[in-house]
PDB file of all heavy atoms in Angstrom:
ATOM      1  N   GLU O1262       7.243  -3.665  17.011  1.00 97.00           N
ATOM      2  CA  GLU O1262       6.823  -3.209  15.661  1.00 97.00           C
ATOM      3  C   GLU O1262       6.281  -1.855  15.653  1.00 97.00           C
ATOM      4  O   GLU O1262       6.600  -1.152  14.676  1.00 97.00           O
ATOM      5  CB  GLU O1262       5.691  -4.141  15.175  1.00 97.00           C
ATOM      6  CG  GLU O1262       6.193  -5.585  14.766  1.00 97.00           C
ATOM      7  CD  GLU O1262       5.083  -6.650  14.649  1.00 97.00           C
ATOM      8  OE1 GLU O1262       3.942  -6.439  15.256  1.00 97.00           O
ATOM      9  OE2 GLU O1262       5.254  -7.499  13.767  1.00 97.00           O
ATOM     10  N   ARG O1265       9.384   0.376  15.492  1.00 96.00           N
ATOM     11  CA  ARG O1265       9.909   0.249  14.210  1.00 96.00           C
ATOM     12  C   ARG O1265       9.196   1.078  13.161  1.00 96.00           C
ATOM     13  O   ARG O1265       9.663   1.729  12.287  1.00 96.00           O
ATOM     14  CB  ARG O1265      10.033  -1.278  13.661  1.00 96.00           C
ATOM     15  CG  ARG O1265      10.663  -1.497  12.419  1.00 96.00           C
ATOM     16  CD  ARG O1265      11.053  -2.916  12.212  1.00 96.00           C
ATOM     17  NE  ARG O1265      11.762  -3.124  10.984  1.00 96.00           N
ATOM     18  CZ  ARG O1265      12.287  -4.312  10.580  1.00 96.00           C
ATOM     19  NH1 ARG O1265      12.009  -5.357  11.340  1.00 96.00           N
ATOM     20  NH2 ARG O1265      12.813  -4.451   9.496  1.00 96.00           N
ATOM     21  N   ARG O1269      10.325   4.092  10.686  1.00 96.00           N
ATOM     22  CA  ARG O1269       9.997   4.063   9.245  1.00 96.00           C
ATOM     23  C   ARG O1269       9.316   5.306   8.884  1.00 96.00           C
ATOM     24  O   ARG O1269       9.518   5.938   7.689  1.00 96.00           O
ATOM     25  CB  ARG O1269       9.419   2.736   8.810  1.00 96.00           C
ATOM     26  CG  ARG O1269      10.182   1.600   8.945  1.00 96.00           C
ATOM     27  CD  ARG O1269      10.997   1.425   7.652  1.00 96.00           C
ATOM     28  NE  ARG O1269      11.816   0.045   7.536  1.00 96.00           N
ATOM     29  CZ  ARG O1269      11.749  -0.768   6.617  1.00 96.00           C
ATOM     30  NH1 ARG O1269      10.819  -0.557   5.624  1.00 96.00           N
ATOM     31  NH2 ARG O1269      12.372  -1.842   6.635  1.00 96.00           N
ATOM     32  N   LEU O1301       3.274   0.639   6.783  1.00 98.00           N
ATOM     33  CA  LEU O1301       2.929  -0.594   7.416  1.00 98.00           C
ATOM     34  C   LEU O1301       3.278  -1.736   6.464  1.00 98.00           C
ATOM     35  O   LEU O1301       3.844  -2.700   6.994  1.00 98.00           O
ATOM     36  CB  LEU O1301       1.494  -0.527   7.745  1.00 98.00           C
ATOM     37  CG  LEU O1301       0.953  -1.853   8.358  1.00 98.00           C
ATOM     38  CD1 LEU O1301       1.635  -2.111   9.622  1.00 98.00           C
ATOM     39  CD2 LEU O1301      -0.565  -1.645   8.730  1.00 98.00           C
ATOM     40  N   PRO O1302       2.877  -1.776   5.202  1.00 97.00           N
ATOM     41  CA  PRO O1302       3.269  -2.936   4.319  1.00 97.00           C
ATOM     42  C   PRO O1302       4.720  -3.156   4.161  1.00 97.00           C
ATOM     43  O   PRO O1302       5.208  -4.352   3.919  1.00 97.00           O
ATOM     44  CB  PRO O1302       2.670  -2.564   3.010  1.00 97.00           C
ATOM     45  CG  PRO O1302       1.638  -1.501   3.186  1.00 97.00           C
ATOM     46  CD  PRO O1302       2.227  -0.710   4.296  1.00 97.00           C
ATOM     47  N   ALA O1303       5.489  -2.183   4.318  1.00 96.00           N
ATOM     48  CA  ALA O1303       6.979  -2.223   4.174  1.00 96.00           C
ATOM     49  C   ALA O1303       7.871  -2.538   5.497  1.00 96.00           C
ATOM     50  O   ALA O1303       8.901  -2.501   5.511  1.00 96.00           O
ATOM     51  CB  ALA O1303       7.604  -1.152   3.495  1.00 96.00           C
ATOM     52  N   LEU O1304       6.986  -2.698   6.571  1.00 96.00           N
ATOM     53  CA  LEU O1304       7.609  -2.740   7.936  1.00 96.00           C
ATOM     54  C   LEU O1304       8.674  -3.840   7.982  1.00 96.00           C
ATOM     55  O   LEU O1304       9.689  -3.604   8.631  1.00 96.00           O
ATOM     56  CB  LEU O1304       6.531  -3.067   8.990  1.00 96.00           C
ATOM     57  CG  LEU O1304       6.928  -2.917  10.435  1.00 96.00           C
ATOM     58  CD1 LEU O1304       7.457  -1.509  10.779  1.00 96.00           C
ATOM     59  CD2 LEU O1304       5.725  -3.330  11.392  1.00 96.00           C
ATOM     60  N   HIS O1305       8.514  -4.948   7.319  1.00 96.00           N
ATOM     61  CA  HIS O1305       9.549  -6.047   7.339  1.00 96.00           C
ATOM     62  C   HIS O1305      10.280  -6.314   6.063  1.00 96.00           C
ATOM     63  O   HIS O1305      10.965  -7.326   5.903  1.00 96.00           O
ATOM     64  CB  HIS O1305       8.788  -7.337   7.874  1.00 96.00           C
ATOM     65  CG  HIS O1305       8.247  -7.254   9.155  1.00 96.00           C
ATOM     66  ND1 HIS O1305       8.961  -7.196  10.378  1.00 96.00           N
ATOM     67  CD2 HIS O1305       6.935  -7.141   9.707  1.00 96.00           C
ATOM     68  CE1 HIS O1305       8.219  -7.087  11.400  1.00 96.00           C
ATOM     69  NE2 HIS O1305       6.926  -7.059  10.900  1.00 96.00           N
ATOM     70  N   LEU O1306      10.024  -5.221   5.214  1.00 95.00           N
ATOM     71  CA  LEU O1306      10.679  -5.430   3.807  1.00 95.00           C
ATOM     72  C   LEU O1306      12.113  -4.600   3.990  1.00 95.00           C
ATOM     73  O   LEU O1306      12.282  -3.948   4.925  1.00 95.00           O
ATOM     74  CB  LEU O1306       9.829  -4.812   2.764  1.00 95.00           C
ATOM     75  CG  LEU O1306       8.559  -5.598   2.530  1.00 95.00           C
ATOM     76  CD1 LEU O1306       7.728  -4.891   1.405  1.00 95.00           C
ATOM     77  CD2 LEU O1306       8.814  -7.040   2.281  1.00 95.00           C
ATOM     78  N   ALA O1307      12.846  -4.618   2.940  1.00 91.00           N
ATOM     79  CA  ALA O1307      14.130  -3.908   2.768  1.00 91.00           C
ATOM     80  C   ALA O1307      13.823  -2.405   2.998  1.00 91.00           C
ATOM     81  O   ALA O1307      12.800  -1.838   2.736  1.00 91.00           O
ATOM     82  CB  ALA O1307      14.699  -4.140   1.490  1.00 91.00           C
ATOM     83  N   LEU O1381       5.026  -1.361  -4.706  1.00 96.00           N
ATOM     84  CA  LEU O1381       5.863  -2.535  -4.553  1.00 96.00           C
ATOM     85  C   LEU O1381       5.728  -3.404  -5.720  1.00 96.00           C
ATOM     86  O   LEU O1381       6.626  -4.032  -6.193  1.00 96.00           O
ATOM     87  CB  LEU O1381       5.207  -3.309  -3.326  1.00 96.00           C
ATOM     88  CG  LEU O1381       5.414  -2.540  -1.982  1.00 96.00           C
ATOM     89  CD1 LEU O1381       4.671  -3.326  -0.889  1.00 96.00           C
ATOM     90  CD2 LEU O1381       6.892  -2.266  -1.651  1.00 96.00           C
ATOM     91  N   PRO O1393       8.691  -8.063  -6.860  1.00 95.00           N
ATOM     92  CA  PRO O1393       9.841  -8.822  -6.451  1.00 95.00           C
ATOM     93  C   PRO O1393       9.720  -9.498  -5.041  1.00 95.00           C
ATOM     94  O   PRO O1393       9.364  -8.877  -4.117  1.00 95.00           O
ATOM     95  CB  PRO O1393      10.923  -7.747  -6.338  1.00 95.00           C
ATOM     96  CG  PRO O1393      10.351  -6.633  -7.057  1.00 95.00           C
ATOM     97  CD  PRO O1393       8.971  -6.576  -6.970  1.00 95.00           C
ATOM     98  N   LEU O1394       9.866 -10.902  -5.025  1.00 95.00           N
ATOM     99  CA  LEU O1394       9.740 -11.594  -3.863  1.00 95.00           C
ATOM    100  C   LEU O1394      11.055 -11.615  -3.098  1.00 95.00           C
ATOM    101  O   LEU O1394      11.995 -11.773  -3.431  1.00 95.00           O
ATOM    102  CB  LEU O1394       9.365 -13.052  -4.273  1.00 95.00           C
ATOM    103  CG  LEU O1394       8.115 -13.154  -5.028  1.00 95.00           C
ATOM    104  CD1 LEU O1394       7.904 -14.774  -5.187  1.00 95.00           C
ATOM    105  CD2 LEU O1394       6.948 -12.567  -4.398  1.00 95.00           C
ATOM    106  N   PRO O1395      10.769 -11.522  -1.698  1.00 93.00           N
ATOM    107  CA  PRO O1395      11.870 -11.732  -0.740  1.00 93.00           C
ATOM    108  C   PRO O1395      12.640 -13.031  -0.825  1.00 93.00           C
ATOM    109  O   PRO O1395      11.901 -14.004  -1.417  1.00 93.00           O
ATOM    110  CB  PRO O1395      11.197 -11.609   0.621  1.00 93.00           C
ATOM    111  CG  PRO O1395       9.903 -10.879   0.403  1.00 93.00           C
ATOM    112  CD  PRO O1395       9.451 -11.351  -0.983  1.00 93.00           C
ATOM    113  N   ARG O1396      13.802 -13.068  -0.430  1.00 91.00           N
ATOM    114  CA  ARG O1396      14.547 -14.319  -0.560  1.00 91.00           C
ATOM    115  C   ARG O1396      13.803 -15.372   0.264  1.00 91.00           C
ATOM    116  O   ARG O1396      13.318 -15.203   1.341  1.00 91.00           O
ATOM    117  CB  ARG O1396      15.983 -14.101   0.058  1.00 91.00           C
ATOM    118  CG  ARG O1396      16.865 -15.357  -0.042  1.00 91.00           C
ATOM    119  CD  ARG O1396      18.233 -15.087   0.507  1.00 91.00           C
ATOM    120  NE  ARG O1396      18.924 -14.008  -0.336  1.00 91.00           N
ATOM    121  CZ  ARG O1396      20.132 -13.543  -0.075  1.00 91.00           C
ATOM    122  NH1 ARG O1396      20.849 -14.054   1.022  1.00 91.00           N
ATOM    123  NH2 ARG O1396      20.572 -12.632  -0.891  1.00 91.00           N
ATOM    124  N   GLY O1397      13.881 -16.606  -0.308  1.00 91.00           N
ATOM    125  CA  GLY O1397      13.199 -17.696   0.399  1.00 91.00           C
ATOM    126  C   GLY O1397      11.631 -18.057  -0.198  1.00 91.00           C
ATOM    127  O   GLY O1397      11.161 -19.096   0.115  1.00 91.00           O
ATOM    128  N   MET O1398      11.178 -17.101  -0.912  1.00 96.00           N
ATOM    129  CA  MET O1398       9.919 -17.333  -1.475  1.00 96.00           C
ATOM    130  C   MET O1398       9.915 -17.880  -2.945  1.00 96.00           C
ATOM    131  O   MET O1398      10.821 -17.462  -3.644  1.00 96.00           O
ATOM    132  CB  MET O1398       8.966 -16.030  -1.444  1.00 96.00           C
ATOM    133  CG  MET O1398       8.643 -15.509  -0.164  1.00 96.00           C
ATOM    134  SD  MET O1398       7.421 -14.145  -0.219  1.00 96.00           S
ATOM    135  CE  MET O1398       5.900 -15.089  -0.709  1.00 96.00           C
ATOM    136  N   TRP O1403       3.831 -18.739  -5.617  1.00 98.00           N
ATOM    137  CA  TRP O1403       3.116 -17.373  -5.581  1.00 98.00           C
ATOM    138  C   TRP O1403       2.227 -17.423  -6.845  1.00 98.00           C
ATOM    139  O   TRP O1403       1.018 -17.053  -6.731  1.00 98.00           O
ATOM    140  CB  TRP O1403       4.082 -16.251  -5.797  1.00 98.00           C
ATOM    141  CG  TRP O1403       3.578 -14.850  -5.818  1.00 98.00           C
ATOM    142  CD1 TRP O1403       3.122 -14.345  -7.020  1.00 98.00           C
ATOM    143  CD2 TRP O1403       3.328 -13.909  -4.879  1.00 98.00           C
ATOM    144  NE1 TRP O1403       2.648 -13.037  -6.772  1.00 98.00           N
ATOM    145  CE2 TRP O1403       2.757 -12.760  -5.467  1.00 98.00           C
ATOM    146  CE3 TRP O1403       3.625 -13.893  -3.532  1.00 98.00           C
ATOM    147  CZ2 TRP O1403       2.429 -11.675  -4.774  1.00 98.00           C
ATOM    148  CZ3 TRP O1403       3.349 -12.764  -2.814  1.00 98.00           C
ATOM    149  CH2 TRP O1403       2.776 -11.616  -3.408  1.00 98.00           C
ATOM    150  N   TYR O1445      -5.410  -8.117   3.654  1.00 98.00           N
ATOM    151  CA  TYR O1445      -4.416  -8.721   4.603  1.00 98.00           C
ATOM    152  C   TYR O1445      -4.213  -7.935   5.805  1.00 98.00           C
ATOM    153  O   TYR O1445      -4.018  -8.534   6.905  1.00 98.00           O
ATOM    154  CB  TYR O1445      -3.021  -9.042   3.879  1.00 98.00           C
ATOM    155  CG  TYR O1445      -2.036  -9.490   4.768  1.00 98.00           C
ATOM    156  CD1 TYR O1445      -1.975 -10.945   5.088  1.00 98.00           C
ATOM    157  CD2 TYR O1445      -1.051  -8.861   5.239  1.00 98.00           C
ATOM    158  CE1 TYR O1445      -1.165 -11.453   5.903  1.00 98.00           C
ATOM    159  CE2 TYR O1445      -0.018  -9.265   6.064  1.00 98.00           C
ATOM    160  CZ  TYR O1445      -0.178 -10.629   6.405  1.00 98.00           C
ATOM    161  OH  TYR O1445       0.778 -11.184   7.276  1.00 98.00           O
ATOM    162  N   PHE O1446      -4.025  -6.702   5.667  1.00 98.00           N
ATOM    163  CA  PHE O1446      -3.845  -5.702   6.798  1.00 98.00           C
ATOM    164  C   PHE O1446      -5.129  -5.305   7.583  1.00 98.00           C
ATOM    165  O   PHE O1446      -5.065  -5.018   8.680  1.00 98.00           O
ATOM    166  CB  PHE O1446      -3.025  -4.556   6.417  1.00 98.00           C
ATOM    167  CG  PHE O1446      -1.521  -4.846   6.083  1.00 98.00           C
ATOM    168  CD1 PHE O1446      -1.185  -4.995   4.746  1.00 98.00           C
ATOM    169  CD2 PHE O1446      -0.629  -5.027   7.035  1.00 98.00           C
ATOM    170  CE1 PHE O1446       0.174  -5.324   4.434  1.00 98.00           C
ATOM    171  CE2 PHE O1446       0.576  -5.375   6.752  1.00 98.00           C
ATOM    172  CZ  PHE O1446       1.107  -5.468   5.460  1.00 98.00           C
ATOM    173  N   PHE O1460      -3.382 -15.815   1.187  1.00 98.00           N
ATOM    174  CA  PHE O1460      -3.119 -15.309   2.605  1.00 98.00           C
ATOM    175  C   PHE O1460      -1.791 -15.782   2.978  1.00 98.00           C
ATOM    176  O   PHE O1460      -0.970 -14.929   3.537  1.00 98.00           O
ATOM    177  CB  PHE O1460      -4.139 -15.866   3.510  1.00 98.00           C
ATOM    178  CG  PHE O1460      -3.836 -15.414   4.941  1.00 98.00           C
ATOM    179  CD1 PHE O1460      -4.212 -14.142   5.435  1.00 98.00           C
ATOM    180  CD2 PHE O1460      -3.092 -16.247   5.758  1.00 98.00           C
ATOM    181  CE1 PHE O1460      -3.828 -13.710   6.754  1.00 98.00           C
ATOM    182  CE2 PHE O1460      -2.693 -15.934   7.035  1.00 98.00           C
ATOM    183  CZ  PHE O1460      -3.273 -14.672   7.654  1.00 98.00           C
ATOM    184  N   GLU O1461      -1.504 -17.028   2.729  1.00 98.00           N
ATOM    185  CA  GLU O1461      -0.145 -17.532   3.119  1.00 98.00           C
ATOM    186  C   GLU O1461       1.016 -16.865   2.292  1.00 98.00           C
ATOM    187  O   GLU O1461       2.052 -16.540   2.914  1.00 98.00           O
ATOM    188  CB  GLU O1461      -0.027 -19.070   3.106  1.00 98.00           C
ATOM    189  CG  GLU O1461      -1.050 -19.705   3.990  1.00 98.00           C
ATOM    190  CD  GLU O1461      -0.608 -19.608   5.553  1.00 98.00           C
ATOM    191  OE1 GLU O1461       0.547 -19.282   5.688  1.00 98.00           O
ATOM    192  OE2 GLU O1461      -1.547 -19.597   6.310  1.00 98.00           O
ATOM    193  N   GLN O1462       0.812 -16.708   1.126  1.00 98.00           N
ATOM    194  CA  GLN O1462       1.851 -15.949   0.250  1.00 98.00           C
ATOM    195  C   GLN O1462       2.092 -14.524   0.761  1.00 98.00           C
ATOM    196  O   GLN O1462       3.296 -14.082   0.771  1.00 98.00           O
ATOM    197  CB  GLN O1462       1.449 -16.011  -1.198  1.00 98.00           C
ATOM    198  CG  GLN O1462       1.650 -17.408  -1.777  1.00 98.00           C
ATOM    199  CD  GLN O1462       3.052 -17.966  -1.671  1.00 98.00           C
ATOM    200  OE1 GLN O1462       3.993 -17.362  -2.216  1.00 98.00           O
ATOM    201  NE2 GLN O1462       3.122 -19.024  -0.845  1.00 98.00           N
ATOM    202  N   LEU O1463       0.969 -13.889   0.964  1.00 98.00           N
ATOM    203  CA  LEU O1463       1.109 -12.366   1.488  1.00 98.00           C
ATOM    204  C   LEU O1463       1.704 -12.392   2.915  1.00 98.00           C
ATOM    205  O   LEU O1463       2.370 -11.498   3.190  1.00 98.00           O
ATOM    206  CB  LEU O1463      -0.374 -11.732   1.488  1.00 98.00           C
ATOM    207  CG  LEU O1463      -0.880 -11.393   0.047  1.00 98.00           C
ATOM    208  CD1 LEU O1463      -2.157 -10.825   0.201  1.00 98.00           C
ATOM    209  CD2 LEU O1463       0.059 -10.552  -0.711  1.00 98.00           C
ATOM    210  N   ALA O1464       1.394 -13.330   3.759  1.00 97.00           N
ATOM    211  CA  ALA O1464       2.036 -13.476   5.060  1.00 97.00           C
ATOM    212  C   ALA O1464       3.425 -13.469   5.064  1.00 97.00           C
ATOM    213  O   ALA O1464       4.204 -12.930   5.733  1.00 97.00           O
ATOM    214  CB  ALA O1464       1.307 -14.661   5.826  1.00 97.00           C
ATOM    215  N   GLN O1465       3.974 -14.299   4.040  1.00 97.00           N
ATOM    216  CA  GLN O1465       5.459 -14.484   3.860  1.00 97.00           C
ATOM    217  C   GLN O1465       5.939 -13.233   3.309  1.00 97.00           C
ATOM    218  O   GLN O1465       6.996 -12.714   3.679  1.00 97.00           O
ATOM    219  CB  GLN O1465       5.693 -15.709   3.062  1.00 97.00           C
ATOM    220  CG  GLN O1465       5.519 -17.068   3.582  1.00 97.00           C
ATOM    221  CD  GLN O1465       5.847 -18.138   2.670  1.00 97.00           C
ATOM    222  OE1 GLN O1465       6.941 -18.226   2.175  1.00 97.00           O
ATOM    223  NE2 GLN O1465       4.892 -19.098   2.478  1.00 97.00           N
ATOM    224  N   PHE O1466       5.251 -12.763   2.249  1.00 97.00           N
ATOM    225  CA  PHE O1466       5.788 -11.527   1.526  1.00 97.00           C
ATOM    226  C   PHE O1466       5.997 -10.346   2.472  1.00 97.00           C
ATOM    227  O   PHE O1466       6.946  -9.705   2.412  1.00 97.00           O
ATOM    228  CB  PHE O1466       5.015 -11.201   0.310  1.00 97.00           C
ATOM    229  CG  PHE O1466       5.314 -10.005  -0.446  1.00 97.00           C
ATOM    230  CD1 PHE O1466       6.303  -9.968  -1.372  1.00 97.00           C
ATOM    231  CD2 PHE O1466       4.663  -8.678  -0.199  1.00 97.00           C
ATOM    232  CE1 PHE O1466       6.659  -8.861  -1.927  1.00 97.00           C
ATOM    233  CE2 PHE O1466       4.898  -7.542  -0.827  1.00 97.00           C
ATOM    234  CZ  PHE O1466       6.034  -7.631  -1.785  1.00 97.00           C
ATOM    235  N   TYR O1467       4.938  -9.998   3.196  1.00 97.00           N
ATOM    236  CA  TYR O1467       4.912  -8.856   3.975  1.00 97.00           C
ATOM    237  C   TYR O1467       5.812  -9.104   5.294  1.00 97.00           C
ATOM    238  O   TYR O1467       6.030  -8.073   6.040  1.00 97.00           O
ATOM    239  CB  TYR O1467       3.477  -8.393   4.313  1.00 97.00           C
ATOM    240  CG  TYR O1467       2.950  -7.634   3.082  1.00 97.00           C
ATOM    241  CD1 TYR O1467       1.847  -8.178   2.594  1.00 97.00           C
ATOM    242  CD2 TYR O1467       3.449  -6.605   2.568  1.00 97.00           C
ATOM    243  CE1 TYR O1467       1.200  -7.520   1.441  1.00 97.00           C
ATOM    244  CE2 TYR O1467       2.996  -5.923   1.475  1.00 97.00           C
ATOM    245  CZ  TYR O1467       1.886  -6.360   0.912  1.00 97.00           C
ATOM    246  OH  TYR O1467       1.330  -5.750  -0.227  1.00 97.00           O
ATOM    247  N   ALA O1468       6.157 -10.220   5.557  1.00 93.00           N
ATOM    248  CA  ALA O1468       6.986 -10.527   6.724  1.00 93.00           C
ATOM    249  C   ALA O1468       8.442 -10.608   6.144  1.00 93.00           C
ATOM    250  O   ALA O1468       9.441 -11.031   6.782  1.00 93.00           O
ATOM    251  CB  ALA O1468       6.782 -11.900   7.299  1.00 93.00           C
ATOM    252  N   GLY O1469       8.732 -10.114   4.828  1.00 76.00           N
ATOM    253  CA  GLY O1469      10.083 -10.170   4.347  1.00 76.00           C
ATOM    254  C   GLY O1469      10.601 -11.514   4.103  1.00 76.00           C
ATOM    255  O   GLY O1469      11.786 -11.665   3.929  1.00 76.00           O
ATOM    256  N   GLY O1470       9.688 -12.557   3.726  1.00 62.00           N
ATOM    257  CA  GLY O1470      10.130 -13.878   3.369  1.00 62.00           C
ATOM    258  C   GLY O1470       9.975 -14.763   4.563  1.00 62.00           C
ATOM    259  O   GLY O1470      10.268 -15.981   4.463  1.00 62.00           O
ATOM    260  N   GLY O1471       9.760 -14.245   5.732  1.00 56.00           N
ATOM    261  CA  GLY O1471       9.571 -14.963   6.938  1.00 56.00           C
ATOM    262  C   GLY O1471       8.042 -15.495   7.173  1.00 56.00           C
ATOM    263  O   GLY O1471       7.265 -15.319   6.220  1.00 56.00           O
ATOM    264  N   CYS O1472       7.860 -15.869   8.371  1.00 51.00           N
ATOM    265  CA  CYS O1472       6.323 -16.347   8.642  1.00 51.00           C
ATOM    266  C   CYS O1472       5.660 -15.167   9.038  1.00 51.00           C
ATOM    267  O   CYS O1472       5.960 -14.389  10.007  1.00 51.00           O
ATOM    268  CB  CYS O1472       6.476 -17.403   9.721  1.00 51.00           C
ATOM    269  SG  CYS O1472       4.865 -17.999  10.164  1.00 51.00           S
ATOM    270  N   GLY O1473       4.468 -15.032   8.454  1.00 50.00           N
ATOM    271  CA  GLY O1473       3.505 -13.995   8.758  1.00 50.00           C
ATOM    272  C   GLY O1473       3.012 -14.178  10.199  1.00 50.00           C
ATOM    273  O   GLY O1473       2.778 -15.329  10.603  1.00 50.00           O
ATOM    274  N   ARG O1474       2.610 -12.945  10.910  1.00 52.00           N
ATOM    275  CA  ARG O1474       2.058 -13.091  12.277  1.00 52.00           C
ATOM    276  C   ARG O1474       0.566 -12.771  12.313  1.00 52.00           C
ATOM    277  O   ARG O1474      -0.124 -13.178  13.243  1.00 52.00           O
ATOM    278  CB  ARG O1474       2.788 -11.989  13.097  1.00 52.00           C
ATOM    279  CG  ARG O1474       2.619 -12.136  14.603  1.00 52.00           C
ATOM    280  CD  ARG O1474       3.414 -11.073  15.323  1.00 52.00           C
ATOM    281  NE  ARG O1474       3.200  -9.765  14.959  1.00 52.00           N
ATOM    282  CZ  ARG O1474       1.973  -9.000  15.290  1.00 52.00           C
ATOM    283  NH1 ARG O1474       1.231  -9.555  16.118  1.00 52.00           N
ATOM    284  NH2 ARG O1474       1.744  -7.825  14.837  1.00 52.00           N
ATOM    285  N   LEU O1475       0.059 -12.139  11.278  1.00 55.00           N
ATOM    286  CA  LEU O1475      -1.325 -11.811  11.352  1.00 55.00           C
ATOM    287  C   LEU O1475      -2.396 -13.042  11.299  1.00 55.00           C
ATOM    288  O   LEU O1475      -2.037 -13.895  10.826  1.00 55.00           O
ATOM    289  CB  LEU O1475      -1.765 -10.848  10.208  1.00 55.00           C
ATOM    290  CG  LEU O1475      -1.164  -9.553  10.325  1.00 55.00           C
ATOM    291  CD1 LEU O1475      -1.561  -8.676   8.974  1.00 55.00           C
ATOM    292  CD2 LEU O1475      -1.656  -8.689  11.370  1.00 55.00           C
TER     293      LEU O1475
END
Side-chain angles (χ1 to χ4, degrees):
E1262 286 172 325
R1265 185 172 184 171
R1269 286 277 183 124
L1301 180 59
L1304 189 60
H1305 298 289
L1306 300 180
L1381 296 175
L1394 300 181
R1396 181 176 300 178
M1398 294 192 68
W1403 176 281
Y1445 175 76
F1446 289 99
F1460 174 87
E1461 292 301 329
Q1462 287 301 295
L1463 289 179
Q1465 292 183 54
F1466 177 78
Y1467 286 117
C1472 180
R1474 192 178 57 81
L1475 291 176

